[in-house]
């Protein structure tokens, strides 16, 4: 079975996947992996935020459509009721 290896991002030295430090330069793999994981989590959170913005925009559009429909309906109601009053007098 082959031994899994990784390369140091600082000096390029080969190390075991289980190693916590680079034997050549002393680079801390654990800190690097933690930073990478934190960055991934941050990107995941940022990718979810536009969804909320899209949802708010969608709600605004729906509200505007309903408001326009109500205004048109009110206009027809008042124009029709005025028409009927004019005919009956």
């Amino acid at each position: 079975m082959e031994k899994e290896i990784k390369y140091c991002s600082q000096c390029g030295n080969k190390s075991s996947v289980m190693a916590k430090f680079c034997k050549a330069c002393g680079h801390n793999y654990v800190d690097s992996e933690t930073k990478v994981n934190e960055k991934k989590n941050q990107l995941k959170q940022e990718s979810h935020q536009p969804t909320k913005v899209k949802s708010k925009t969608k709600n605004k559009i729906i509200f505007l459509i309903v408001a326009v429909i109500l205004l048109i309906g009110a206009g027809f109601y008042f124009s029709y009721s005025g028409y009927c009053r004019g005919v009956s007098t």
Side-chain angles (χ1 to χ4, degrees):
M1 180 166 28
E2 287 186 37
K3 187 176 179 182
E4 292 183 28
I5 60 170
K6 62 182 172 183
Y7 294 91
C8 177
S9 62
Q10 299 297 313
C11 69
N13 189 47
K14 291 181 182 180
S15 297
S16 166
V17 174
M18 300 303 293
K20 294 182 181 181
F21 296 94
C22 176
K23 292 179 182 178
C25 70
H27 177 69
N28 187 344
Y29 293 131
V30 177
D31 284 345
S32 296
E33 291 171 4
T34 302
K35 289 177 185 176
V36 168
N37 289 335
E38 287 174 358
K39 186 67 175 175
K40 284 180 182 178
N41 289 336
Q42 182 182 8
L43 291 173
K44 284 181 184 178
Q45 290 174 352
E46 289 173 359
S47 68
H48 292 295
Q49 289 175 351
T51 304
K52 292 179 183 178
V53 172
K54 288 179 184 177
S55 176
K56 288 180 182 179
T57 304
K58 185 177 178 182
N59 289 341
K60 287 180 184 179
I61 291 171
I62 291 171
F63 175 77
L64 288 173
I65 290 171
V66 170
V68 168
I69 290 171
L70 288 175
L71 286 172
I72 292 171
F76 278 120
Y77 172 77
F78 288 118
S79 67
Y80 180 72
S81 64
Y83 176 75
C84 289
R85 273 191 263 143
V87 171
S88 64
T89 53

